[in-house]
Amino acid sequence: MATNRTFTMLKPDAVEKGHIGAILEKISAAGFRIVAMKLTQMTQNDAETFYAIHKERPFFGELVTYMTRGPIVAAILEKENAVEDFRTLIGATNPADAAEGTIRKLYAASIGENAVHGSDSDQNAAIEGAFHFSGREMF
Ligand code: IDP
Ligand code: MG
């Protein structure tokens, strides 16, 4: 059964360009409630662990360098059908393929530097949320 939470990161490129406010506005306007949120920076070990599923991919080193180069905003979001609806809101991994009006179409520069993360399943939403937040930080 689908749960109602997903996990997101506003990635270093989005933070560097000053897009935190605009992206959070789109997330709120789409009906997501922020359950937990923080500005943080991933260490190399954090990024390698978070993206371990991609460790054999040719872009893995580039991905870890990118995701650790500056602050991110990590957040847990709540909405009915959260995982699927959030993936729709952010658009395709490659902004060139992302639908008009999606966050990646508006704010992403490339398939690598694509502004925002969204969990791809309820199970990963729970794992990724727990990776970034302890129970005490959530309500
Ligand atoms: P997703 O974020 O849309 O779920 P994934 O395929 O899970 O996309 O890839 C994770 C992240 O790895 C992407 O969001 C992007 O930052 C990076 N990435 C994916 N494909 C490439 C690529 O071909 N070159 C460089 N970076 C990539
Ligand atoms: Mg993915």
Side-chain angles (χ1 to χ4, degrees):
M1 195 181 76
T3 61
N4 58 1
R5 286 186 175 186
T6 191
F7 171 77
T8 189
M9 295 182 288
L10 312 191
K11 297 181 176 183
D13 59 317
V15 175
E16 285 160 9
K17 292 174 186 166
H19 290 150
I20 294 174
I23 294 173
L24 290 179
E25 180 59 36
K26 289 217 45 110
I27 291 171
S28 289
F32 291 88
R33 188 174 79 86
I34 296 166
V35 176
M37 184 167 71
K38 66 181 171 188
L39 187 77
T40 187
Q41 186 160 351
M42 295 176 95
T43 65
Q44 175 153 341
N45 187 56
D46 287 339
E48 287 175 354
T49 304
F50 188 92
Y51 284 112
I53 194 167
H54 295 304
K55 66 175 181 294
E56 306 303 335
R57 307 284 287 276
F59 59 80
F60 185 67
E62 182 188 330
L63 175 59
V64 170
T65 298
Y66 158 54
M67 288 302 299
T68 58
R69 79 173 184 223
I72 62 161
V73 174
I76 294 172
L77 305 174
E78 195 165 74
K79 180 186 179 297
E80 195 178 307
N81 202 38
V83 166
E84 188 183 349
D85 287 1
F86 194 72
R87 294 285 297 198
T88 301
L89 179 67
I90 68 177
T93 306
N94 187 343
D97 301 329
E100 287 301 328
T102 59
I103 292 172
R104 283 169 167 168
K105 185 69 170 189
L106 288 166
Y107 299 111
S110 67
I111 190 170
E113 303 207 4
N114 58 4
V116 63
H117 170 82
S119 304
D120 63 4
S121 67
D122 289 334
Q123 186 186 11
N124 283 336
I127 292 168
E128 292 169 0
F131 183 89
H132 280 275
F133 294 97
S134 68
R136 287 189 78 245
E137 292 171 289
M138 292 161 53
F139 54 91

